[in-house]
Structure formats: C-alpha cells, structure tokens
C-alpha cells in the first residue's frame, strides 16, 4: 500500500488563507486559540476542563441514548457515550451535511480523521477519554446542496418539494432513487452491500436525519463513532442564554464584523458575513431568518411577529424552534460538547477563523482547528500505468493545459522550450537599450517595440510547434489525459467529486480499513494512496 505526500500549497487546490494557516503565519495568530499539535492539546484540555458546564454532560448522554435507541450500536460507541458522563472525557468533532448517501468522498476523510485523532490523543494522554463526534447538519435548509451524489460521472438525485430543516424531511420518493442506484451499482458482493445500506437507510427510516445516522453508524460504528443530531429541545435549552444574548445584544455581528475588517486588511477572502441576528426560526416546514424592527421580532417572509418580551418568553418555552446559522452553530457546538478540536474542510476552517472574538465575548473556549485529511486514491493498475507513462504524483495536480504541455515536452524527441532563446534575446536587447541611451534616447521606444514583437513571435512559434507535436503524439497524450481525468474527474479533486460507492465497489471493506491505517490527522500534508 504505497503512499506519498504533497504539501497542500503545492496541490494548487487550497486557498492561500488555509495554506497560510497551516504554515502558522504570524499575521493569523490572533484568529485562533492554539495550533493543533499533540503537546498543545494538554493546555486545551486544562482550559476546557475549567470552563465547561459539567451539568451539560447528563443532558448530552440522555439525548444520545435516546437517539441511538433504535440502532444496532457497537460496544465501542456505547462505551464512548457512557464515558461522556465523566469529567475526564472530551470530544473531537467534525460536522457534515446530510448529503444523499454521504455525498462527496471526503465525508469518509472527515470521519476517519476524527476517529484517528481520538486514538492518537488516547495514546498521548491515557488518563483521559476522547470521543469522536459526527455532528449532523440536520438543521440546514439548503436541500439543493445535499439531494444528490455523483456516481461514475452521473448525478443521482432525489427530488422533493419539502421545505425547512432537511433533517426533518421524510424519506418519501427515495424508493425511486433506490431503483436507480440498484441498476447503477450492478452485481457482486460489494454492490449488494451498497444496495442494502441504501435500502435500509432511506427506505426503512422516517426522516433524513435518522437515515443518515443509520448509514454513518453502519460505516463507522465499530470504530466508536458517536453521531449527534443537535436539533433537540433539551440540548437547545442549554443554549438559551446564548441565543437570548444574540437576540438582545446582537453579539456576533459586532465581533465578527471587526474580525472581518482585520481579514480585509490582510487581503484575505471572507467566507461568511454576519447578520444583525444570526438565528433562524424553525417550525412546521419553515426555517427563516429572524429580524428585529422597532422592538418587534419577525420571521422573514411570514406573518409571524412578537414583541421583545413575548419573543424571549417564546424562546424559553420553545427553544427547539430556534436554529443557529453558520455564525452561531459553532458556538452551540462548543456549549453543549466538552470539545477540544473541530476538524473540517478548507471553507469551514476559514469561517471558524472569523469567530474567535465572538467566543471570547460569550466566555466560551475556542476549540483548536484542524484541517481534515485529504487524499487521492489510485488503484495499483492506475499506478502502474502512471509509472509507464512517467507521470509523477505532482504532475497529476497540474491544470490540464500545463499537464499536457509538460508531457508533450517530456516525451517529444525535439526540444520545444524557447525560454533559453527568449532569455538570449532579452540579453541582446539590453545592449541595444544601452546603445540607444548613448546615442538618442528617443530610440528606446522603437527598441522596446522591436523587443516585444520578436519575443511575441518566438512565443507564437513555440505554441505552434507544441500544437504540432500534440497532434503527432496524440495517442500517448490521450492516455495521459484519460488517467488524469480518472483521478481528477471534471478537473477537480477526486474527494470533492466522486461518492465512496465507486471505490467501495472495487475495494469493499478494505477501503475504510486502509484509510484508518494511513490517514494521520496531525501530519499536515495531502496524501496520495495506492490500494
């Protein structure tokens, strides 16, 4: 099982913001509490221990046991849930939308990163317990983002006219999707396993949250994963004081806006912008923004409205009807969990890095932030072909045109690189500029025009020769392109495009076991893995 690593910055698929964070650039140090290293977890444990409301543990455990009551639960997961009662137990958390059949492949990488980090921490701090948490984004309402997955270049989609929080969507209509996946998955033991998971998840559970919990438990339950649906009244009761402060004092917008100005001064892209109120109202198929107008609280695009006092009373009575947006969800997570670290993708890391000042204002410990593992998975057959074609792992990450041009130059029996000639020409024109300055400076414009013309001519000739060689070497270049397209479908990262089912058909249970053995969450590089 050969592996190779590439620095995230060298892949050209990750933003400068994230790469700067990974490089621990001093300009970003004010945006996070401490960087995720094994030694730093000791300080994070001490800080969380002193600040976490231990009474919340009982509510958390009771809620989890209720959510797991109808699932076949592994001993490892049950032990993890029970351990959360103890004040020496902490969580490592990742979150993900309720994408149909897990959505993009990186869902697996998020979960495996989380589980593997808890194991590494247990080895380093044996007197503590560490529980891997998958936080289901059950309150999300962007159905168009989650209602499909890609399989062998096809988009398999679930259509529904339901509205509101997607976790509450009933699973009607997924029987027809099952017919499609049954045909697409084909025959064989691995195909039958995929069909069984889909059928049991989506045809034997009442809503999308339950279906997703079942599927994630089937994939990772034996590794002790604990799946949490925070769309729960008792958990939200714990969050009421913070929602009340958001409603009355508009805490988030003040602090996040200030942080955003800092980011703008550093020329860094802002991921999210805060609202005046960063809460939704969620009830009977709606999840709409809450706005305040003249001391009256309203739910946007509805007739619902309350006076300030009535709205606070309503919050206390029905906290389950209030839903945090992307700005407030991280705070909710850290209030109800004894959490040390959040593991997420690049986009998630950026918006978390906007939130530290809000946490400080609410007196909640800001978690450590860890970029999830990323990987490119090749089959041994693909690896063999790449070797024969002399394509390196770094080559694969090049954009298509650069990749093709590099291969043409590499396999061509003539040199098609005019950089030397261009450099020689530029050196010659330096002498001409000096001659013009010594005779008549007005001639420097004419010299410049001639230099531009000749360099342009050389570059044009180089492009034409490359094009001619591409035609001559078309068959070999085509084989190179096919391989790159297989591993980078639609010229994007494999993990952001394909569904795990494509790889499971080929590797079966080996897929997750290999990932568990090879993904190292604290290593900080992009992994290239051959199975």
């Amino acid at each position: 099982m050969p592996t190779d690593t590439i620095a995230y910055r060298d892949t050209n698929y990750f933003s400068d913001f994230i790469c700067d964070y990974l490089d621990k650039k001093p300009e970003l140090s004010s945006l996070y509490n401490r960087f995720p290293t094994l030694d730093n977890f000791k300080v994070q444990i001490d800080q969380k221990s002193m600040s976490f409301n231990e009474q919340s543990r009982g509510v958390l455990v009771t809620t989890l046991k209720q959510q797991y009551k109808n699932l076949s639960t592994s001993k490892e997961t049950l032990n993890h849930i029970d351990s959360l009662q103890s004040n020496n137990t902490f969580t490592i958390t990742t979150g993900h939308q309720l994408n149909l059949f897990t959505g993009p492949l990186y869902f697996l990488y998020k979960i495996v990163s989380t589980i593997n980090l808890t194991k590494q921490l247990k080895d380093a701090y044996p007197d503590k317990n560490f529980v891997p948490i998958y936080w289901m984004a059950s309150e999300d309402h962007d159905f168009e983002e989650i209602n499909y997955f890609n399989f062998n270049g096809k988009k398999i989609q679930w259509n529904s006219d339901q509205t509101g929080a997607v976790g509450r969507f009933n699973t009607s209509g997924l029987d027809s999707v099952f017919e499609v996946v049954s045909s697409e998955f084909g025959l064989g033991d691995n195909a039958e396993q995929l069909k069984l998971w889909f059928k049991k998840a989506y045809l034997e559970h009442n809503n999308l949250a339950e279906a997703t919990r079942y599927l994630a438990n089937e994939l990772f339950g034996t590794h002790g994963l604990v799946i949490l649906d925070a769309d729960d009244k008792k958990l939200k009761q714990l969050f009421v004081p913070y929602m009340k402060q958001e409603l009355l004092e508009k805490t988030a917008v003040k602090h996040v806006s200030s942080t955003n100005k800092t980011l703008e001064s550093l020329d860094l892209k802002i991921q999210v912008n805060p609202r005046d109120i960063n809460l939704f109202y969620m009830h009977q198929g709606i999840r709409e923004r809450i706005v305040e107008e003249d001391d009256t609280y309203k739910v946007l695009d509805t007739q619902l409205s309350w006076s300030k006092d009535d709205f606070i009373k309503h919050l206390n009575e029905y906290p389950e009807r209030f839903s945090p947006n992307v700005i407030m969800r991280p705070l909710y997570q850290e209030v109800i969990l004894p959490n040390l670290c959040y593991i997420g993708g690049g986009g998630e890391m950026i918006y978390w890095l906007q939130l530290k000042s809000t946490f400080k204002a609410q007196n909640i410990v800001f978690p450590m932030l860890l970029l999830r593992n990323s990987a490119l998975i090749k089959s041994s057959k693909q690896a063999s072909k790449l070797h024969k074609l002399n394509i390196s792992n770094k080559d694969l990450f090049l954009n298509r045109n650069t990749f093709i041009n590099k291969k043409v130059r590499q396999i061509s029996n003539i040199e098609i690189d005019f950089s030397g000639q261009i450099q020689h020409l530029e050196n010659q024109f330096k002498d001409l500029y000096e001659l013009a300055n010594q005779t008549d400076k007005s001639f420097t414009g004419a010299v410049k025009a001639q230099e531009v013309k000749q360099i342009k001519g050389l570059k044009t000739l180089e492009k034409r020769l490359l094009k001619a060689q591409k035609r001559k070497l078309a068959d070999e270049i085509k084989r190179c392109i096919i391989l790159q397209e297989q591993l980078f479908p639609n010229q994007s990262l494999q993990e952001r495009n394909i569904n795990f089912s494509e790889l499971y058909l080929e590797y079966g249970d080996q897929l997750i076991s290999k990932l568990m053995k090879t993904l190292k969450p604290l290593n900080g590089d992009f992994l290239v893995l051959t199975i």
Side-chain angles (χ1 to χ4, degrees):
M1 190 173 57
T3 61
D4 189 14
T5 57
I6 296 175
Y8 280 102
R9 194 181 293 277
D10 291 341
T11 69
N12 297 313
Y13 279 94
F14 293 82
S15 70
D16 287 340
F17 194 158
I18 285 303
C19 292
D20 288 348
Y21 173 68
L22 295 176
D23 291 341
K24 293 185 271 191
K25 289 286 182 71
E27 306 93 289
L28 301 182
S29 60
S30 65
L31 303 178
Y32 57 90
N33 200 6
R34 51 186 61 89
F35 197 79
T37 65
L38 206 53
D39 289 341
N40 279 347
F41 272 97
K42 184 181 187 307
V43 187
Q44 191 76 14
I45 289 168
D46 292 341
Q47 189 178 15
K48 191 70 177 183
S49 296
M50 290 187 290
S51 65
F52 186 66
N53 180 4
E54 295 297 335
Q55 294 178 342
S56 301
R57 291 183 182 273
V59 176
L60 178 61
V61 171
T62 300
T63 301
L64 284 168
K65 287 185 174 181
Q66 177 66 24
Q67 292 182 0
Y68 270 86
K69 69 178 182 179
N70 295 322
L71 275 184
S72 176
T73 311
S74 71
K75 181 180 178 182
E76 291 81 1
T77 294
L78 288 174
N79 287 342
H80 275 155
I81 292 173
D82 287 335
S83 75
L84 285 166
Q85 291 275 16
S86 170
N87 60 13
N88 71 343
T89 298
F90 301 89
T91 62
I92 304 297
T93 302
T94 192
H96 194 68
Q97 294 170 297
L98 308 189
N99 298 70
L100 185 63
F101 213 48
T102 75
L105 178 61
Y106 67 74
F107 171 80
L108 267 60
Y109 302 161
K110 278 186 168 184
I111 303 292
V112 174
S113 299
T114 304
I115 294 169
N116 281 353
L117 181 56
T118 61
K119 292 179 178 180
Q120 194 172 358
L121 289 172
K122 183 64 177 176
D123 289 340
Y125 304 100
D127 60 323
K128 303 289 191 287
N129 301 312
F130 303 93
V131 176
I133 298 284
Y134 162 38
W135 179 292
M136 295 197 297
S138 56
E139 295 178 50
D140 191 2
H141 64 291
D142 197 340
F143 181 61
E144 301 302 318
E145 283 190 358
I146 68 159
N147 69 337
Y148 70 95
F149 67 95
N150 297 320
F151 180 81
N152 285 341
K154 299 177 182 177
K155 185 176 183 178
I156 296 177
Q157 185 169 308
W158 170 34
N159 296 310
S160 175
D161 57 4
Q162 298 177 72
T163 58
V166 295
R168 300 180 182 184
F169 279 25
N170 68 61
T171 51
S172 61
L174 279 162
D175 50 348
S176 60
V177 180
F178 176 62
E179 292 178 10
V180 175
V181 300
S182 295
S183 173
E184 291 293 333
F185 289 161
L187 303 175
D189 291 344
N190 294 339
E192 292 306 314
Q193 180 60 75
L194 289 169
K195 293 174 196 176
L196 183 64
W197 280 334
F198 193 100
K199 181 180 180 181
K200 284 189 168 292
Y202 296 106
L203 306 191
E204 298 181 14
H205 290 88
N206 293 327
N207 61 49
L208 190 55
E210 291 176 0
T212 304
R213 184 188 295 112
Y214 169 83
L215 183 56
N217 184 62
E218 286 294 304
L219 292 172
F220 294 105
T222 56
H223 298 282
L225 180 68
V226 174
I227 303 152
L228 176 62
D229 181 0
D231 184 8
D232 179 272
K233 181 173 184 175
K234 290 182 179 178
L235 291 177
K236 286 189 176 177
Q237 283 174 335
L238 300 174
F239 195 51
V240 165
Y242 305 91
M243 291 193 284
K244 182 178 178 181
Q245 186 172 343
E246 173 66 10
L247 289 168
L248 297 179
E249 300 178 25
K250 300 178 176 58
T251 310
V253 68
K254 298 174 186 175
H255 295 280
V256 177
S257 296
S258 176
T259 300
N260 285 354
K261 290 178 182 177
T262 300
L263 296 179
E264 287 172 348
S265 71
L266 297 171
D267 293 323
L268 294 171
K269 182 180 178 182
I270 293 168
Q271 190 76 10
V272 293
N273 285 294
R275 305 278 188 183
D276 284 343
I277 296 174
N278 293 281
L279 296 168
F280 287 95
Y281 189 77
M282 188 169 65
H283 186 51
Q284 294 180 341
I286 67 166
R287 185 176 183 259
E288 294 289 348
R289 285 172 46 210
I290 297 168
V291 295
E292 182 187 7
E293 297 176 3
D294 302 323
D295 284 340
T296 299
Y297 288 92
K298 299 178 179 180
V299 179
L300 209 62
D301 297 328
T302 74
Q303 299 299 313
L304 298 171
S305 65
W306 295 262
S307 68
K308 182 182 290 188
D309 290 342
D310 286 343
F311 201 49
I312 298 303
K313 180 182 178 183
H314 192 66
L315 168 65
N316 288 318
E317 290 178 350
Y318 302 102
E320 71 277 13
R321 296 183 184 180
F322 292 77
S323 177
N325 73 354
V326 65
I327 294 286
M328 289 289 285
R329 189 211 68 76
L331 187 72
Y332 179 33
Q333 172 188 298
E334 297 302 310
V335 165
I336 67 174
L337 291 176
N339 196 51
L340 302 175
C341 176
Y342 183 77
I343 297 178
E348 292 174 280
M349 291 294 96
I350 291 174
Y351 76 69
W352 271 89
L353 287 166
Q354 295 176 237
L355 303 179
K356 182 185 173 186
S357 58
T358 301
F359 276 71
K360 185 176 180 180
Q362 297 272 22
N363 199 29
I364 297 296
V365 175
F366 196 59
M368 298 163 85
L369 302 176
L370 179 62
L371 183 67
R372 64 167 173 81
N373 284 118
S374 284
L376 172 66
I377 297 177
K378 301 181 294 184
S379 68
S380 55
K381 187 176 180 180
Q382 287 170 327
S384 177
K385 288 181 179 179
L386 290 166
H387 178 72
K388 288 177 182 177
L389 291 167
N390 195 26
I391 300 173
S392 70
N393 287 329
K394 262 195 169 182
D395 289 343
L396 288 169
F397 286 85
L398 297 172
N399 69 57
R400 181 61 50 81
N401 286 334
T402 306
F403 175 73
I404 293 171
N405 289 340
K406 180 175 181 179
K407 295 313 297 177
V408 169
R409 289 188 172 98
Q410 192 178 75
I411 64 182
S412 177
N413 55 7
I414 60 173
E415 182 66 28
I416 310 179
D417 183 356
F418 285 9
S419 56
Q421 287 88 339
I422 291 171
Q423 182 65 50
H424 181 68
L425 192 62
E426 288 173 342
N427 290 336
Q428 285 184 319
F429 271 93
K430 285 180 183 177
D431 294 336
L432 290 175
Y433 281 121
E434 187 175 340
L435 182 61
N437 283 324
Q438 289 174 356
T439 54
D440 187 340
K441 289 185 179 181
S442 65
F443 279 98
T444 57
V447 173
K448 179 65 177 176
Q450 194 61 225
E451 179 186 23
V452 170
K453 180 180 178 180
Q454 292 192 35
I455 289 175
K456 183 179 179 181
L458 278 175
K459 288 182 177 179
T460 300
L461 182 58
E462 181 183 30
K463 288 179 182 177
R464 291 179 65 185
L465 285 170
L466 270 171
K467 190 175 181 180
Q469 278 298 93
K470 287 177 188 177
R471 288 195 298 268
K472 187 176 178 181
L473 304 169
D475 288 343
E476 192 164 353
I477 293 300
K478 184 178 180 181
R479 291 199 295 274
C480 294
I481 293 171
I482 288 172
L483 272 170
Q484 192 193 42
E485 179 62 28
Q486 287 174 355
L487 296 168
F488 287 76
N490 299 321
Q491 299 183 57
S492 67
L493 285 178
Q494 178 193 65
E495 64 181 36
R496 298 178 188 173
N497 191 292
I498 73 169
N499 181 258
F500 86 96
S501 55
E502 287 189 38
L503 297 175
Y504 189 88
L505 279 175
E506 185 169 358
Y507 305 116
D509 292 338
Q510 275 193 83
L511 176 61
I512 289 178
S513 65
K514 299 287 188 186
L515 292 175
M516 294 296 300
K517 289 176 183 176
T518 54
L519 295 190
K520 309 296 182 186
L522 296 178
N523 277 16
D525 284 315
F526 193 106
L527 180 70
V528 181
L529 170 64
T530 302
I531 300 181

